[in-house]
C-alpha cells in the first residue's frame, strides 16, 4: 500500500514525490512513447480558439519545471488558468481544522502492537514521534512522511507555480474544485479505514523511495499508462478510488467546458486525471471536442 502515498499527488490531493537522479529522461530512446504527452490541445466542437490541458504533479523538484518554451508560451498566452483548487487562497487555519479528528486519536484506532509498529516506522522516516500528531486524520499523515523525504529545490510546487504565474500576469485563475469538496470526499473513509491504510503503507515490502523514483521517471517520460498503473491499488476501497479519480474527472470536465468558448484556457490538473477511458481527455472527446497531444520534451 505504499501506492496509497503515491496516489495522493497524482489525483491532486496532499502528495509530493521524491525525485532521483535519472539521466536522459527526455528522449524516445529513454522510454518516451510516441504520442505520449502531458500537454494536450483542445479544439473543435465550435470553439473559435483552442485551449490546453496540462498534467501537473505537486512537487518542488526542479526537473518538473523544465518543460521549456512550448509550455511556457502557451501558459503566458492563456487568458484563464484553470486548476483543481486555488491553493493560494486556502486558509491555513481552515486546513488545520479539516485535517484533525474531532473525537478520536490515532492510538485508539489501532491495536497497541500496530501503533508501536507505526510509531517506529513514522519516526524512522520523519524524525519525530507520531505522538505529536495523534489527532491528525491518518489520511493526512502521509503528507508529513512525504515532506520529510522529498527533494525541495524549487520555491513552490508545480501546480502552485502555475497559479502564481497567472496572478502575476493578471490572468483569471479559476478553481475547478473547492478544498471543502476534497475534504468531504476524504471524510467518506472512516478513521479506522484511514489508520489501516496508513499502517499498511508503511509496513509493506515496497520501498517508498523506489516507488517515488518510478513515479518521477514515468512523469518525465510522460508515460500515461504507467502513471495510471501507479494509481492502482487493490487495498484501497474501490468506490473511494472511483470517486477521487473518475468521479472528480466528470466534475472537472463539467466545470471546464463552459470556459472553453472563451478560448485560451490553460487547464492544469493532476496528471492521473488526464488518462484512461474516464480521464479528462476521453471525457472531452466524448463531448465532441478534438483533444490532441502537443509534443515537447523536458529540458528543451
Amino acid at each position: 500500500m505504499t501506492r496509497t502515498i503515491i496516489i495522493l499527488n497524482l489525483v491532486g490531493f496532499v502528495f509530493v514525490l521524491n525525485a532521483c537522479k535519472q539521466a536522459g529522461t527526455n528522449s524516445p530512446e529513454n522510454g518516451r512513447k510516441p504520442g505520449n504527452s502531458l500537454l494536450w490541445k483542445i479544439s473543435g466542437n465550435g470553439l473559435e480558439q483552442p485551449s490546453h490541458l496540462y498534467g501537473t504533479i505537486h512537487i518542488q523538484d526542479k526537473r518538473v519545471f523544465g518543460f521549456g518554451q512550448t509550455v511556457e508560451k502557451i501558459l503566458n498566452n492563456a487568458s484563464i488558468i484553470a486548476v483543481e483548487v486555488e491553493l493560494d487562497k486556502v486558509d491555513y487555519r481552515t486546513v488545520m481544522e479539516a485535517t484533525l479528528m474531532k473525537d478520536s486519536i490515532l492510538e485508539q484506532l489501532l491495536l497497541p502492537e500496530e501503533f508501536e509498529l507505526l510509531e517506529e516506522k513514522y519516526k524512522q522516516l520523519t524524525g519525530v514521534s507520531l505522538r505529536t500528531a495523534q489527532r491528525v486524520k491518518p489520511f493526512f499523515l502521509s503528507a508529513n512522511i512525504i515532506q520529510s523525504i522529498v527533494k525541495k529545490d524549487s520555491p513552490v510546487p508545480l501546480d502552485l507555480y502555475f497559479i502564481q504565474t497567472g496572478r502575476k500576469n493578471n490572468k483569471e485563475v479559476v478553481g475547478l474544485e473547492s478544498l471543502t469538496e476534497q475534504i468531504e470526499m476524504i471524510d467518506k473513509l472512516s478513521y479506522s479505514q484511514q489508520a489501516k491504510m496508513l499502517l499498511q503503507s508503511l509496513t509493506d515490502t515496497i520501498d517508498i523511495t523506489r516507488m517515488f523514483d518510478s513515479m518521477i521517471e514515468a512523469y518525465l517520460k510522460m508515460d500515461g499508462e504507467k502513471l495510471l498503473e501507479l494509481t492502482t491499488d487493490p487495498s484501497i476501497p474501490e468506490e473511494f478510488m472511483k470517486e477521487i479519480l473518475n468521479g472528480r474527472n466528470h466534475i472537472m470536465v463539467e466545470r471546464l467546458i463552459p470556459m472553453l468558448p472563451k478560448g485560451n484556457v490553460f487547464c492544469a490538473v493532476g496528471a492521473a486525471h488526464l488518462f484512461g477511458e474516464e480521464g479528462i481527455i476521453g471525457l472531452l472527446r466524448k463531448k465532441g471536442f478534438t483533444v490532441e497531444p502537443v509534443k515537447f520534451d523536458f529540458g528543451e
Side-chain angles (χ1 to χ4, degrees), residues 1 110-111 113-119 121 138 193-204:
M1 247 272 301
L110 298 166
L111 296 172
E113 59 270 24
E114 290 176 329
F115 181 82
E116 290 304 318
L117 179 58
L118 189 59
E119 160 74 1
K121 294 288 186 179
Q193 283 178 302
Q194 294 179 36
K196 295 296 184 183
M197 288 167 63
L198 178 64
L199 178 65
Q200 197 169 354
S201 70
L202 293 183
T203 57
D204 68 14

Side-chain angles (χ1 to χ4, degrees), residues 56-68:
T56 65
I57 196 165
H58 188 74
I59 60 174
Q60 291 170 251
D61 186 308
K62 63 182 179 183
R63 289 174 302 158
V64 304
F65 291 80
F67 40 70

Side-chain angles (χ1 to χ4, degrees), residues 63-83:
R63 289 174 302 158
V64 304
F65 291 80
F67 40 70
Q69 292 301 310
T70 300
V71 176
E72 195 74 44
K73 183 178 179 180
I74 291 170
L75 174 64
N76 290 335
N77 288 338
S79 300
I80 301 172
I81 310 294
V83 294

Side-chain angles (χ1 to χ4, degrees), residues 85-101:
V85 173
E86 293 181 75
L87 297 173
D88 60 336
K89 289 190 174 181
V90 170
D91 179 68
Y92 178 75
R93 285 177 296 181
T94 301
V95 173
M96 290 302 296
E97 290 176 8
T99 61
L100 296 179
M101 293 185 281

Side-chain angles (χ1 to χ4, degrees), residues 39-289:
L39 177 64
W40 296 74
K41 178 182 175 182
I42 307 168
S43 61
N45 209 13
L47 297 181
E48 294 183 5
Q49 292 180 309
S51 290
H52 290 84
L53 179 65
Y54 190 78
T56 65
I57 196 165
H58 188 74
I59 60 174
Q60 291 170 251
D61 186 308
K62 63 182 179 183
R63 289 174 302 158
V64 304
F65 291 80
F67 40 70
Q69 292 301 310
T70 300
V71 176
E72 195 74 44
K73 183 178 179 180
I74 291 170
L75 174 64
N76 290 335
N77 288 338
S79 300
I80 301 172
I81 310 294
V83 294
E84 292 180 31
V85 173
E86 293 181 75
L87 297 173
D88 60 336
K89 289 190 174 181
V90 170
D91 179 68
Y92 178 75
R93 285 177 296 181
T94 301
V95 173
M96 290 302 296
E97 290 176 8
T99 61
L100 296 179
M101 293 185 281
K102 300 293 189 293
D103 53 6
S104 299
I105 59 173
L106 184 60
E107 200 165 1
Q108 296 172 334
L109 303 175
L110 298 166
L111 296 172
E113 59 270 24
E114 290 176 329
F115 181 82
E116 290 304 318
L117 179 58
L118 189 59
E119 160 74 1
E120 178 185 348
K121 294 288 186 179
Y122 187 85
K123 193 170 185 178
Q124 181 183 355
L125 289 168
T126 66
V128 298
S129 172
L130 193 55
R131 297 181 188 279
T132 64
Q134 281 262 43
R135 288 190 59 215
V136 177
K137 294 174 184 177
F139 192 92
F140 291 100
L141 285 172
S142 58
N144 295 349
I145 297 165
I146 296 163
Q147 285 288 350
S148 68
I149 62 177
V150 296
K151 197 172 182 178
K152 305 180 189 71
D153 48 13
S154 289
V156 297
L158 180 61
D159 44 2
L160 183 53
Y161 166 79
F162 288 137
I163 292 172
Q164 290 180 344
T165 299
R167 303 279 191 216
K168 181 180 177 181
N169 294 318
N170 297 315
K171 300 180 187 297
E172 182 180 0
V173 178
V174 180
L176 298 174
E177 299 178 293
S178 68
L179 176 67
T180 299
E181 288 175 320
Q182 289 197 351
I183 295 296
E184 288 175 350
M185 202 168 293
I186 292 167
D187 284 344
K188 291 180 181 179
L189 287 173
S190 69
Y191 295 156
S192 294
Q193 283 178 302
Q194 294 179 36
K196 295 296 184 183
M197 288 167 63
L198 178 64
L199 178 65
Q200 197 169 354
S201 70
L202 293 183
T203 57
D204 68 14
T205 58
I206 301 174
D207 181 79
I208 293 176
T209 301
R210 186 175 299 175
M211 181 66 81
F212 286 167
D213 291 348
S214 297
M215 166 69 84
I216 196 70
E217 181 179 10
Y219 183 82
L220 294 175
K221 289 178 179 177
M222 307 187 219
D223 189 341
E225 291 181 8
K226 182 65 174 178
L227 291 172
L228 273 184
E229 179 187 325
L230 287 168
T231 67
T232 302
D233 190 332
S235 60
I236 298 178
E238 184 178 355
E239 288 306 310
F240 177 72
M241 209 44 238
K242 284 182 180 178
E243 189 162 2
I244 67 170
L245 189 58
N246 296 339
R248 292 172 62 219
N249 291 344
H250 284 269
I251 291 171
M252 287 191 281
V253 166
E254 180 182 324
R255 294 172 181 175
L256 173 63
I257 286 177
M259 304 178 201
L260 297 179
K262 300 177 183 179
N264 289 326
V265 178
F266 183 84
C267 178
V269 297
H273 289 291
L274 271 57
F275 307 104
E277 187 176 340
E278 291 192 70
I280 291 176
I281 293 169
L283 293 176
L284 285 172
R285 286 173 173 167
K286 290 176 183 177
K287 295 287 187 179
F289 295 95

